[in-house]
mmCIF file of all heavy atoms in Angstrom:
data_model
loop_
_atom_site.group_PDB
_atom_site.id
_atom_site.type_symbol
_atom_site.label_atom_id
_atom_site.label_comp_id
_atom_site.label_asym_id
_atom_site.label_seq_id
_atom_site.Cartn_x
_atom_site.Cartn_y
_atom_site.Cartn_z
ATOM 1 N N PHE Y 166 13.568 29.739 -6.682
ATOM 2 C CA PHE Y 166 13.707 29.167 -5.342
ATOM 3 C C PHE Y 166 12.793 29.862 -4.376
ATOM 4 O O PHE Y 166 11.989 29.256 -3.616
ATOM 5 C CB PHE Y 166 15.155 29.249 -4.840
ATOM 6 C CG PHE Y 166 15.359 28.760 -3.410
ATOM 7 C CD1 PHE Y 166 15.311 27.403 -3.180
ATOM 8 C CD2 PHE Y 166 15.526 29.700 -2.378
ATOM 9 C CE1 PHE Y 166 15.552 26.969 -1.839
ATOM 10 C CE2 PHE Y 166 15.718 29.205 -1.100
ATOM 11 C CZ PHE Y 166 15.753 27.879 -0.844
ATOM 12 N N GLY Y 167 12.844 31.218 -4.320
ATOM 13 C CA GLY Y 167 11.996 31.993 -3.398
ATOM 14 C C GLY Y 167 10.519 31.783 -3.639
ATOM 15 O O GLY Y 167 9.702 31.626 -2.777
ATOM 16 N N ASP Y 168 10.143 31.831 -4.945
ATOM 17 C CA ASP Y 168 8.717 31.719 -5.299
ATOM 18 C C ASP Y 168 8.140 30.309 -4.983
ATOM 19 O O ASP Y 168 7.009 30.184 -4.595
ATOM 20 C CB ASP Y 168 8.449 32.075 -6.770
ATOM 21 C CG ASP Y 168 8.584 33.537 -7.077
ATOM 22 O OD1 ASP Y 168 8.553 34.295 -6.133
ATOM 23 O OD2 ASP Y 168 8.710 33.849 -8.253
ATOM 24 N N SER Y 169 9.007 29.301 -5.117
ATOM 25 C CA SER Y 169 8.537 27.940 -4.828
ATOM 26 C C SER Y 169 8.265 27.777 -3.298
ATOM 27 O O SER Y 169 7.301 27.145 -2.927
ATOM 28 C CB SER Y 169 9.540 26.891 -5.290
ATOM 29 O OG SER Y 169 10.782 27.048 -4.640
ATOM 30 N N LEU Y 170 9.100 28.405 -2.465
ATOM 31 C CA LEU Y 170 8.908 28.354 -1.032
ATOM 32 C C LEU Y 170 7.592 29.112 -0.691
ATOM 33 O O LEU Y 170 6.828 28.693 0.197
ATOM 34 C CB LEU Y 170 10.072 28.945 -0.279
ATOM 35 C CG LEU Y 170 11.400 28.206 -0.338
ATOM 36 C CD1 LEU Y 170 12.374 28.802 0.665
ATOM 37 C CD2 LEU Y 170 11.211 26.704 -0.049
ATOM 38 N N TYR Y 171 7.395 30.232 -1.332
ATOM 39 C CA TYR Y 171 6.177 31.002 -1.113
ATOM 40 C C TYR Y 171 4.933 30.195 -1.496
ATOM 41 O O TYR Y 171 3.977 30.190 -0.729
ATOM 42 C CB TYR Y 171 6.256 32.317 -1.950
ATOM 43 C CG TYR Y 171 5.129 33.224 -1.802
ATOM 44 C CD1 TYR Y 171 4.791 33.847 -0.623
ATOM 45 C CD2 TYR Y 171 4.269 33.520 -2.938
ATOM 46 C CE1 TYR Y 171 3.682 34.720 -0.502
ATOM 47 C CE2 TYR Y 171 3.220 34.358 -2.852
ATOM 48 C CZ TYR Y 171 2.934 34.988 -1.606
ATOM 49 O OH TYR Y 171 1.850 35.842 -1.511
ATOM 50 N N LEU Y 172 5.026 29.496 -2.603
ATOM 51 C CA LEU Y 172 3.910 28.644 -3.052
ATOM 52 C C LEU Y 172 3.622 27.543 -2.024
ATOM 53 O O LEU Y 172 2.523 27.211 -1.657
ATOM 54 C CB LEU Y 172 4.192 28.032 -4.395
ATOM 55 C CG LEU Y 172 3.126 27.085 -4.954
ATOM 56 C CD1 LEU Y 172 1.865 27.867 -5.250
ATOM 57 C CD2 LEU Y 172 3.587 26.352 -6.156
ATOM 58 N N TRP Y 173 4.722 26.883 -1.559
ATOM 59 C CA TRP Y 173 4.573 25.774 -0.579
ATOM 60 C C TRP Y 173 3.931 26.322 0.706
ATOM 61 O O TRP Y 173 3.002 25.644 1.260
ATOM 62 C CB TRP Y 173 5.919 25.199 -0.224
ATOM 63 C CG TRP Y 173 6.556 24.357 -1.309
ATOM 64 C CD1 TRP Y 173 6.054 24.214 -2.590
ATOM 65 C CD2 TRP Y 173 7.729 23.596 -1.232
ATOM 66 N NE1 TRP Y 173 6.903 23.381 -3.286
ATOM 67 C CE2 TRP Y 173 7.927 22.990 -2.486
ATOM 68 C CE3 TRP Y 173 8.667 23.355 -0.228
ATOM 69 C CZ2 TRP Y 173 9.006 22.165 -2.765
ATOM 70 C CZ3 TRP Y 173 9.758 22.540 -0.481
ATOM 71 C CH2 TRP Y 173 9.930 21.946 -1.772
ATOM 72 N N GLU Y 174 4.359 27.475 1.153
ATOM 73 C CA GLU Y 174 3.753 28.077 2.380
ATOM 74 C C GLU Y 174 2.250 28.269 2.195
ATOM 75 O O GLU Y 174 1.445 27.942 3.042
ATOM 76 C CB GLU Y 174 4.467 29.377 2.754
ATOM 77 C CG GLU Y 174 5.882 29.227 3.231
ATOM 78 C CD GLU Y 174 6.000 28.737 4.737
ATOM 79 O OE1 GLU Y 174 4.926 28.546 5.361
ATOM 80 O OE2 GLU Y 174 7.078 28.560 5.165
ATOM 81 N N MET Y 175 1.895 28.892 1.089
ATOM 82 C CA MET Y 175 0.462 29.184 0.807
ATOM 83 C C MET Y 175 -0.323 27.888 0.673
ATOM 84 O O MET Y 175 -1.436 27.731 1.193
ATOM 85 C CB MET Y 175 0.362 30.014 -0.474
ATOM 86 C CG MET Y 175 0.816 31.402 -0.327
ATOM 87 S SD MET Y 175 0.499 32.415 -1.812
ATOM 88 C CE MET Y 175 -1.324 32.464 -1.722
ATOM 89 N N MET Y 176 0.198 26.937 -0.108
ATOM 90 C CA MET Y 176 -0.464 25.689 -0.377
ATOM 91 C C MET Y 176 -0.755 24.927 0.913
ATOM 92 O O MET Y 176 -1.902 24.458 1.137
ATOM 93 C CB MET Y 176 0.413 24.847 -1.355
ATOM 94 C CG MET Y 176 -0.130 23.494 -1.665
ATOM 95 S SD MET Y 176 0.982 22.619 -2.812
ATOM 96 C CE MET Y 176 2.423 22.360 -1.769
ATOM 97 N N TRP Y 177 0.269 24.748 1.776
ATOM 98 C CA TRP Y 177 0.075 24.006 2.959
ATOM 99 C C TRP Y 177 -0.757 24.747 4.014
ATOM 100 O O TRP Y 177 -1.419 24.115 4.818
ATOM 101 C CB TRP Y 177 1.396 23.614 3.538
ATOM 102 C CG TRP Y 177 2.072 22.540 2.693
ATOM 103 C CD1 TRP Y 177 1.442 21.582 1.912
ATOM 104 C CD2 TRP Y 177 3.475 22.369 2.417
ATOM 105 N NE1 TRP Y 177 2.374 20.837 1.231
ATOM 106 C CE2 TRP Y 177 3.583 21.307 1.512
ATOM 107 C CE3 TRP Y 177 4.595 23.011 2.841
ATOM 108 C CZ2 TRP Y 177 4.874 20.853 1.065
ATOM 109 C CZ3 TRP Y 177 5.878 22.619 2.380
ATOM 110 C CH2 TRP Y 177 5.959 21.484 1.511
ATOM 111 N N ALA Y 178 -0.766 26.023 3.988
ATOM 112 C CA ALA Y 178 -1.614 26.802 4.880
ATOM 113 C C ALA Y 178 -3.102 26.605 4.475
ATOM 114 O O ALA Y 178 -3.977 26.420 5.313
ATOM 115 C CB ALA Y 178 -1.273 28.307 4.855
ATOM 116 N N LEU Y 179 -3.340 26.609 3.160
ATOM 117 C CA LEU Y 179 -4.726 26.381 2.669
ATOM 118 C C LEU Y 179 -5.192 24.954 2.938
ATOM 119 O O LEU Y 179 -6.346 24.731 3.214
ATOM 120 C CB LEU Y 179 -4.758 26.652 1.163
ATOM 121 C CG LEU Y 179 -4.639 28.091 0.691
ATOM 122 C CD1 LEU Y 179 -4.375 28.136 -0.843
ATOM 123 C CD2 LEU Y 179 -5.891 28.900 1.030
ATOM 124 N N GLU Y 180 -4.244 24.033 2.912
ATOM 125 C CA GLU Y 180 -4.583 22.638 3.073
ATOM 126 C C GLU Y 180 -4.525 22.135 4.511
ATOM 127 O O GLU Y 180 -4.810 21.022 4.832
ATOM 128 C CB GLU Y 180 -3.644 21.774 2.229
ATOM 129 C CG GLU Y 180 -4.129 20.451 1.762
ATOM 130 C CD GLU Y 180 -3.177 19.765 0.823
ATOM 131 O OE1 GLU Y 180 -1.898 19.968 0.961
ATOM 132 O OE2 GLU Y 180 -3.556 19.040 -0.037
ATOM 133 N N TYR Y 181 -4.161 23.093 5.419
ATOM 134 C CA TYR Y 181 -3.928 22.661 6.788
ATOM 135 C C TYR Y 181 -5.160 21.997 7.468
ATOM 136 O O TYR Y 181 -6.262 22.522 7.439
ATOM 137 C CB TYR Y 181 -3.528 23.874 7.604
ATOM 138 C CG TYR Y 181 -3.325 23.571 9.040
ATOM 139 C CD1 TYR Y 181 -2.232 22.800 9.490
ATOM 140 C CD2 TYR Y 181 -4.220 23.989 10.060
ATOM 141 C CE1 TYR Y 181 -2.055 22.472 10.831
ATOM 142 C CE2 TYR Y 181 -4.037 23.682 11.408
ATOM 143 C CZ TYR Y 181 -2.958 22.894 11.800
ATOM 144 O OH TYR Y 181 -2.814 22.603 13.109
ATOM 145 N N ASP Y 182 -4.878 20.875 8.152
ATOM 146 C CA ASP Y 182 -5.885 20.183 8.938
ATOM 147 C C ASP Y 182 -5.133 19.634 10.204
ATOM 148 O O ASP Y 182 -4.232 18.812 10.075
ATOM 149 C CB ASP Y 182 -6.488 19.006 8.163
ATOM 150 C CG ASP Y 182 -7.492 18.211 8.959
ATOM 151 O OD1 ASP Y 182 -7.510 18.310 10.190
ATOM 152 O OD2 ASP Y 182 -8.263 17.452 8.357
ATOM 153 N N PRO Y 183 -5.450 20.162 11.363
ATOM 154 C CA PRO Y 183 -4.691 19.789 12.593
ATOM 155 C C PRO Y 183 -4.646 18.305 12.860
ATOM 156 O O PRO Y 183 -3.699 17.797 13.384
ATOM 157 C CB PRO Y 183 -5.428 20.546 13.699
ATOM 158 C CG PRO Y 183 -6.756 20.902 13.150
ATOM 159 C CD PRO Y 183 -6.534 21.093 11.696
ATOM 160 N N ASP Y 184 -5.719 17.550 12.497
ATOM 161 C CA ASP Y 184 -5.737 16.145 12.766
ATOM 162 C C ASP Y 184 -4.775 15.353 11.896
ATOM 163 O O ASP Y 184 -4.366 14.242 12.227
ATOM 164 C CB ASP Y 184 -7.158 15.612 12.578
ATOM 165 C CG ASP Y 184 -8.045 15.882 13.752
ATOM 166 O OD1 ASP Y 184 -7.484 16.245 14.798
ATOM 167 O OD2 ASP Y 184 -9.254 15.830 13.648
ATOM 168 N N LEU Y 185 -4.393 15.932 10.733
ATOM 169 C CA LEU Y 185 -3.514 15.231 9.864
ATOM 170 C C LEU Y 185 -2.082 15.163 10.383
ATOM 171 O O LEU Y 185 -1.242 14.391 9.904
ATOM 172 C CB LEU Y 185 -3.442 15.891 8.469
ATOM 173 C CG LEU Y 185 -4.724 15.675 7.601
ATOM 174 C CD1 LEU Y 185 -4.578 16.373 6.289
ATOM 175 C CD2 LEU Y 185 -5.004 14.207 7.386
ATOM 176 N N TYR Y 186 -1.797 15.968 11.395
ATOM 177 C CA TYR Y 186 -0.489 15.956 12.056
ATOM 178 C C TYR Y 186 -0.120 14.531 12.515
ATOM 179 O O TYR Y 186 1.006 14.050 12.384
ATOM 180 C CB TYR Y 186 -0.477 16.932 13.223
ATOM 181 C CG TYR Y 186 0.773 16.900 14.073
ATOM 182 C CD1 TYR Y 186 1.897 17.552 13.712
ATOM 183 C CD2 TYR Y 186 0.805 16.130 15.290
ATOM 184 C CE1 TYR Y 186 3.035 17.512 14.459
ATOM 185 C CE2 TYR Y 186 1.944 16.065 16.040
ATOM 186 C CZ TYR Y 186 3.074 16.798 15.614
ATOM 187 O OH TYR Y 186 4.187 16.734 16.402
ATOM 188 N N ASN Y 187 -1.146 13.818 13.086
ATOM 189 C CA ASN Y 187 -0.908 12.487 13.575
ATOM 190 C C ASN Y 187 -0.444 11.504 12.434
ATOM 191 O O ASN Y 187 0.298 10.619 12.674
ATOM 192 C CB ASN Y 187 -2.194 11.919 14.194
ATOM 193 C CG ASN Y 187 -2.539 12.632 15.505
ATOM 194 O OD1 ASN Y 187 -1.638 13.083 16.219
ATOM 195 N ND2 ASN Y 187 -3.806 12.812 15.746
ATOM 196 N N LEU Y 188 -0.946 11.784 11.223
ATOM 197 C CA LEU Y 188 -0.616 10.892 10.091
ATOM 198 C C LEU Y 188 0.872 10.968 9.746
ATOM 199 O O LEU Y 188 1.422 10.036 9.187
ATOM 200 C CB LEU Y 188 -1.468 11.229 8.903
ATOM 201 C CG LEU Y 188 -2.972 11.080 9.069
ATOM 202 C CD1 LEU Y 188 -3.669 11.447 7.720
ATOM 203 C CD2 LEU Y 188 -3.355 9.649 9.410
ATOM 204 N N TYR Y 189 1.477 12.126 10.026
ATOM 205 C CA TYR Y 189 2.908 12.282 9.660
ATOM 206 C C TYR Y 189 3.831 12.040 10.842
ATOM 207 O O TYR Y 189 5.031 11.968 10.697
ATOM 208 C CB TYR Y 189 3.073 13.707 9.117
ATOM 209 C CG TYR Y 189 2.214 14.010 7.944
ATOM 210 C CD1 TYR Y 189 1.390 15.111 7.905
ATOM 211 C CD2 TYR Y 189 2.170 13.101 6.871
ATOM 212 C CE1 TYR Y 189 0.535 15.336 6.867
ATOM 213 C CE2 TYR Y 189 1.309 13.392 5.801
ATOM 214 C CZ TYR Y 189 0.473 14.505 5.771
ATOM 215 O OH TYR Y 189 -0.363 14.722 4.716
ATOM 216 N N GLU Y 190 3.266 11.983 12.072
ATOM 217 C CA GLU Y 190 4.091 11.816 13.287
ATOM 218 C C GLU Y 190 4.107 10.382 13.794
ATOM 219 O O GLU Y 190 5.091 9.943 14.337
ATOM 220 C CB GLU Y 190 3.629 12.780 14.349
ATOM 221 C CG GLU Y 190 4.028 14.197 14.104
ATOM 222 C CD GLU Y 190 5.577 14.373 13.963
ATOM 223 O OE1 GLU Y 190 6.288 13.902 14.842
ATOM 224 O OE2 GLU Y 190 6.053 14.921 12.962
ATOM 225 N N GLU Y 191 2.966 9.740 13.712
ATOM 226 C CA GLU Y 191 2.825 8.412 14.323
ATOM 227 C C GLU Y 191 3.043 7.303 13.240
ATOM 228 O O GLU Y 191 2.538 7.375 12.144
ATOM 229 C CB GLU Y 191 1.443 8.217 14.919
ATOM 230 C CG GLU Y 191 1.146 9.262 15.986
ATOM 231 C CD GLU Y 191 2.016 9.174 17.205
ATOM 232 O OE1 GLU Y 191 2.573 8.112 17.438
ATOM 233 O OE2 GLU Y 191 2.165 10.239 17.866
ATOM 234 N N PRO Y 192 3.784 6.197 13.620
ATOM 235 C CA PRO Y 192 3.923 5.035 12.732
ATOM 236 C C PRO Y 192 2.536 4.505 12.490
ATOM 237 O O PRO Y 192 1.581 4.667 13.305
ATOM 238 C CB PRO Y 192 4.763 4.119 13.549
ATOM 239 C CG PRO Y 192 5.461 4.935 14.571
ATOM 240 C CD PRO Y 192 4.514 6.043 14.872
ATOM 241 N N ASP Y 193 2.353 3.785 11.372
ATOM 242 C CA ASP Y 193 1.064 3.177 10.989
ATOM 243 C C ASP Y 193 0.430 2.391 12.128
ATOM 244 O O ASP Y 193 -0.747 2.454 12.420
ATOM 245 C CB ASP Y 193 1.182 2.287 9.790
ATOM 246 C CG ASP Y 193 1.504 3.105 8.519
ATOM 247 O OD1 ASP Y 193 1.229 4.305 8.547
ATOM 248 O OD2 ASP Y 193 1.938 2.518 7.568
ATOM 249 N N SER Y 194 1.272 1.596 12.825
ATOM 250 C CA SER Y 194 0.727 0.682 13.879
ATOM 251 C C SER Y 194 0.259 1.459 15.101
ATOM 252 O O SER Y 194 -0.496 0.920 15.886
ATOM 253 C CB SER Y 194 1.818 -0.304 14.289
ATOM 254 O OG SER Y 194 2.965 0.375 14.741
ATOM 255 N N ASP Y 195 0.832 2.681 15.301
ATOM 256 C CA ASP Y 195 0.461 3.448 16.494
ATOM 257 C C ASP Y 195 -0.681 4.493 16.288
ATOM 258 O O ASP Y 195 -1.063 5.159 17.202
ATOM 259 C CB ASP Y 195 1.724 4.230 16.981
ATOM 260 C CG ASP Y 195 2.798 3.262 17.443
ATOM 261 O OD1 ASP Y 195 2.435 2.132 17.766
ATOM 262 O OD2 ASP Y 195 3.954 3.689 17.437
ATOM 263 N N ARG Y 196 -1.144 4.589 15.039
ATOM 264 C CA ARG Y 196 -2.142 5.587 14.756
ATOM 265 C C ARG Y 196 -3.512 5.204 15.375
ATOM 266 O O ARG Y 196 -3.939 4.093 15.167
ATOM 267 C CB ARG Y 196 -2.319 5.822 13.236
ATOM 268 C CG ARG Y 196 -1.118 6.458 12.634
ATOM 269 C CD ARG Y 196 -1.339 6.579 11.113
ATOM 270 N NE ARG Y 196 -0.103 7.003 10.436
ATOM 271 C CZ ARG Y 196 0.069 6.949 9.182
ATOM 272 N NH1 ARG Y 196 -0.862 6.513 8.341
ATOM 273 N NH2 ARG Y 196 1.194 7.445 8.653
ATOM 274 N N PRO Y 197 -4.160 6.133 16.016
ATOM 275 C CA PRO Y 197 -5.488 5.830 16.527
ATOM 276 C C PRO Y 197 -6.465 5.673 15.365
ATOM 277 O O PRO Y 197 -6.258 6.220 14.254
ATOM 278 C CB PRO Y 197 -5.885 7.074 17.335
ATOM 279 C CG PRO Y 197 -4.980 8.144 16.817
ATOM 280 C CD PRO Y 197 -3.710 7.492 16.369
ATOM 281 N N GLU Y 198 -7.515 4.888 15.547
ATOM 282 C CA GLU Y 198 -8.477 4.670 14.499
ATOM 283 C C GLU Y 198 -9.103 5.904 13.983
ATOM 284 O O GLU Y 198 -9.537 5.979 12.798
ATOM 285 C CB GLU Y 198 -9.554 3.645 14.943
ATOM 286 C CG GLU Y 198 -8.976 2.249 15.223
ATOM 287 C CD GLU Y 198 -10.131 1.265 15.624
ATOM 288 O OE1 GLU Y 198 -11.322 1.705 15.616
ATOM 289 O OE2 GLU Y 198 -9.818 0.119 15.955
ATOM 290 N N ASP Y 199 -9.249 6.891 14.822
ATOM 291 C CA ASP Y 199 -9.931 8.147 14.385
ATOM 292 C C ASP Y 199 -8.934 9.214 14.029
ATOM 293 O O ASP Y 199 -9.217 10.414 14.026
ATOM 294 C CB ASP Y 199 -10.869 8.677 15.486
ATOM 295 C CG ASP Y 199 -10.096 9.022 16.763
ATOM 296 O OD1 ASP Y 199 -8.888 8.567 16.865
ATOM 297 O OD2 ASP Y 199 -10.634 9.714 17.636
ATOM 298 N N ALA Y 200 -7.725 8.788 13.594
ATOM 299 C CA ALA Y 200 -6.658 9.767 13.271
ATOM 300 C C ALA Y 200 -7.074 10.676 12.094
ATOM 301 O O ALA Y 200 -6.633 11.803 12.003
ATOM 302 C CB ALA Y 200 -5.398 9.087 12.924
ATOM 303 N N LYS Y 201 -7.948 10.192 11.219
ATOM 304 C CA LYS Y 201 -8.321 10.980 10.094
ATOM 305 C C LYS Y 201 -9.626 11.766 10.365
ATOM 306 O O LYS Y 201 -10.098 12.481 9.462
ATOM 307 C CB LYS Y 201 -8.577 10.049 8.842
ATOM 308 C CG LYS Y 201 -7.332 9.473 8.315
ATOM 309 C CD LYS Y 201 -7.571 8.654 7.019
ATOM 310 C CE LYS Y 201 -6.348 8.092 6.415
ATOM 311 N NZ LYS Y 201 -6.609 7.373 5.198
ATOM 312 N N ALA Y 202 -10.110 11.710 11.540
ATOM 313 C CA ALA Y 202 -11.368 12.432 11.835
ATOM 314 C C ALA Y 202 -11.151 13.945 11.741
ATOM 315 O O ALA Y 202 -10.161 14.438 12.149
ATOM 316 C CB ALA Y 202 -11.862 12.068 13.240
ATOM 317 N N LYS Y 203 -12.126 14.617 11.177
ATOM 318 C CA LYS Y 203 -12.069 16.038 11.059
ATOM 319 C C LYS Y 203 -12.405 16.715 12.347
ATOM 320 O O LYS Y 203 -13.237 16.262 13.125
ATOM 321 C CB LYS Y 203 -13.025 16.521 9.969
ATOM 322 C CG LYS Y 203 -12.723 15.918 8.597
ATOM 323 C CD LYS Y 203 -11.521 16.470 8.019
ATOM 324 C CE LYS Y 203 -11.236 15.973 6.598
ATOM 325 N NZ LYS Y 203 -9.980 16.465 6.017
ATOM 326 N N PRO Y 204 -11.758 17.860 12.640
ATOM 327 C CA PRO Y 204 -12.072 18.616 13.896
ATOM 328 C C PRO Y 204 -13.524 19.181 13.768
ATOM 329 O O PRO Y 204 -14.042 19.385 12.669
ATOM 330 C CB PRO Y 204 -11.080 19.738 13.886
ATOM 331 C CG PRO Y 204 -10.661 19.888 12.507
ATOM 332 C CD PRO Y 204 -10.713 18.498 11.872
ATOM 333 N N LYS Y 205 -14.186 19.329 14.885
ATOM 334 C CA LYS Y 205 -15.581 19.815 14.899
ATOM 335 C C LYS Y 205 -15.645 21.245 14.372
ATOM 336 O O LYS Y 205 -16.656 21.584 13.627
ATOM 337 C CB LYS Y 205 -16.118 19.790 16.308
ATOM 338 C CG LYS Y 205 -16.285 18.353 16.842
ATOM 339 C CD LYS Y 205 -16.916 18.368 18.245
ATOM 340 C CE LYS Y 205 -17.087 16.953 18.761
ATOM 341 N NZ LYS Y 205 -17.639 16.923 20.123
#
Side-chain angles (χ1 to χ4, degrees):
F166 176 75
D168 286 346
S169 62
L170 294 191
Y171 180 64
L172 178 68
W173 288 6
E174 290 282 359
M175 290 187 67
M176 176 178 68
W177 289 327
L179 289 168
E180 206 175 30
Y181 177 71
D182 179 341
D184 281 343
L185 288 179
Y186 173 81
N187 292 326
L188 298 180
Y189 304 127
E190 285 301 308
E191 303 295 337
D193 290 342
S194 59
D195 296 337
R196 291 177 189 168
E198 292 182 3
D199 61 346
K201 291 186 178 181
K203 299 290 183 183
K205 292 181 179 179

